[in-house]
Amino acid sequence: MKIDVFERGFSPTPIQELTGVCPKNRVFLKREDFLPFSFGGNKVRKARHFYREIQTQSADVVMTYGSSSSNHCRIIANMAAAMGLPCHIISPEENYKDTPNSRMVQRFGAVVEKVPLSGISQAIEARRAAYQKSGKNPYFIQGGGHGDPGTAAYVECYEEIRRWEQEREISFDYIFHVSGTGTTQAGLVCGLLACGRQAHTRIVGLSNARTLERGRPVVVQSALSWLEHVYALQTGRRILEDTVEQAVCFEDAWRLGGYGCYNSAVLGTVDEMMKRYGIPMDTTYVGKGFWAMTEYVKREGLTGKKILFLHTGGTPLFFEERPGEERAE
Ligand SMILES: *Cc1c(COP(=O)(O)O)cnc(C)c1O
């Protein structure tokens, strides 16, 4: 079955100005949390590209990997249900939590197969082979919507940003966003390079989990993969690896000990953004990243800049219980 909002009227998402966030600079927010499917967020933008591949390949089972509490698994389970397809999630048993996302995943009827972290790749291969043996045509989506289709989604997002800039004769000096699996960043960077805008705008990925050593090479590799497999084929043009390396700015100074860790400044940001602007942000991704952006602006002493922050969604996480989470001060 088709999903109407994936076919038309999906985006652009709105961009709004926020006064009083980083004094002496102008700050804008692009609301990816408003994408019109399953509470929005960057995983929906990616899912729409996987949706197209599922249709092209006439797949009849959707498989993915991830925690059932993740935004990714909620959205893939929702998409599969909307398409009338079964959804099979391989999930690390160590990370299981009862959350708004995991409850939605259940309600969408996805099968969640809990596997110890050490046995994930074997479990995925075994399950895929079993489906194929029974005459099915499974489509597997990497955790977090990683891979060329996910990257392509954020190339499109960059193009939306560029059109908005052109219509208003404005040019962002910085684009900030939270970098997790690195796909969002890879896509934005590819979009920037494809438009030749790297001298004008700096894209800064604020890591919420991975260290620089682990996270940055993944962003670079994802960008190179899309540039080779998609961009070069479509345009006949090449972008040098060096150029990509220079355009990937990955900051791990505010990861606070890693995934799920936050401090009182992050909590303060989350409360302030909701109270003052009515904008929900969560402590795992967007609230933490938004706080990190304000710290970056202070550290670099930025003034007179036009800054865009990408609100990548995660709205259901806003309603998670806080005390159960790991904390770091
Ligand atoms: C997954 C996620 C991110 C990180 O995106 P990546 O493409 O994995 O780097 C940021 N914000 C939210 C709300 C997410 O769910």
Side-chain angles (χ1 to χ4, degrees):
M1 274 182 277
K2 281 198 189 313
I3 301 176
D4 291 340
V5 288
F6 280 9
E7 303 290 334
R8 65 193 100 79
F10 181 74
S11 60
T13 52
I15 294 180
Q16 67 186 106
E17 184 162 6
L18 295 174
T19 52
V21 173
C22 295
K24 306 200 193 104
N25 296 282
R26 289 179 73 187
V27 175
F28 297 80
L29 195 63
K30 183 167 170 69
R31 303 293 302 271
E32 294 287 278
D33 55 327
F34 278 2
L35 286 167
F37 186 77
S38 200
F39 296 100
N42 65 345
K43 304 306 185 299
V44 185
R45 201 183 269 279
K46 297 182 197 180
R48 184 159 160 269
H49 282 252
F50 292 107
Y51 162 84
R52 290 181 183 155
E53 293 228 326
I54 289 166
Q55 289 181 321
T56 313
Q57 300 181 14
S58 304
D60 49 17
V61 178
V62 181
M63 290 181 65
T64 194
Y65 163 71
S67 153
S68 58
S69 289
S70 66
N71 299 314
H72 170 69
C73 287
R74 171 191 88 247
I75 285 160
I76 297 304
N78 203 159
M79 175 186 79
M83 295 176 82
L85 298 178
C87 181
H88 192 117
I89 297 171
I90 310 278
S91 199
E93 68 184 6
E94 288 88 344
N95 298 1
Y96 186 76
K97 276 194 297 178
D98 181 37
T99 62
N101 274 341
S102 71
R103 269 169 261 151
M104 278 189 270
V105 165
Q106 291 228 300
R107 246 185 282 157
F108 299 140
V111 173
V112 178
E113 182 180 344
K114 297 193 190 98
V115 175
L117 261 176
S118 56
I120 295 292
S121 42
Q122 297 93 305
I124 291 169
E125 278 326 305
R127 189 54 62 190
R128 199 204 309 247
Y131 276 121
Q132 283 163 343
K133 208 166 159 220
S134 70
K136 295 279 185 193
N137 179 21
Y139 183 89
F140 180 75
I141 302 171
Q142 289 184 59
H146 198 61
D148 288 338
T151 305
Y154 272 84
V155 173
E156 280 181 13
C157 179
Y158 178 78
E159 289 164 356
E160 278 179 21
I161 294 169
R162 184 71 200 122
R163 275 196 295 278
W164 193 91
E165 289 181 314
Q166 285 169 324
E167 279 161 18
R168 285 157 186 84
E169 298 183 355
I170 213 179
S171 169
F172 293 118
D173 302 295
Y174 286 87
I175 299 175
F176 289 94
H177 68 93
V178 177
S179 208
T181 67
T183 317
T184 299
Q185 184 166 10
L188 293 172
V189 166
C190 287
L192 183 81
L193 295 175
C195 291
R197 294 284 302 168
Q198 61 271 30
H200 304 274
T201 304
R202 188 152 189 80
I203 294 171
V204 182
L206 300 159
S207 177
N208 71 327
R210 293 177 179 169
T211 58
L212 182 71
E213 294 71 34
R214 165 128 195 268
R216 193 174 178 284
V218 182
V219 178
V220 173
Q221 279 315 311
S222 306
L224 290 173
S225 170
W226 183 84
L227 289 169
E228 184 189 330
H229 299 130
V230 184
Y231 180 75
L233 290 187
Q234 282 176 357
T235 63
R237 279 183 285 178
R238 300 217 158 257
I239 289 174
L240 296 176
E241 189 166 339
D242 238 26
T243 312
V244 176
E245 285 280 355
Q246 279 169 29
V248 175
C249 176
F250 186 91
E251 278 285 343
D252 71 353
W254 302 282
R255 56 189 279 279
L256 300 175
Y259 188 86
C261 299
Y262 55 88
N263 61 15
S264 52
V266 173
L267 288 177
T269 301
V270 167
D271 288 345
E272 169 81 2
M273 292 309 291
M274 192 66 199
K275 231 186 280 177
R276 174 138 182 235
Y277 302 96
I279 298 171
M281 294 186 172
D282 71 290
T283 56
T284 303
Y285 293 104
V286 177
K288 186 169 167 178
F290 198 81
W291 165 73
M293 174 195 71
T294 62
E295 291 297 307
Y296 182 102
V297 168
K298 274 191 253 170
R299 188 188 76 187
E300 302 294 312
L302 301 184
T303 56
K305 302 296 183 204
K306 292 190 242 0
I307 295 170
L308 180 71
F309 184 90
L310 209 61
H311 189 315
T312 41
T315 301
L317 304 186
F318 184 82
F319 299 102
E320 279 188 6
E321 300 291 336
R322 278 177 186 176
E325 282 190 357
E326 245 181 279
R327 302 190 52 165
E329 285 297 330

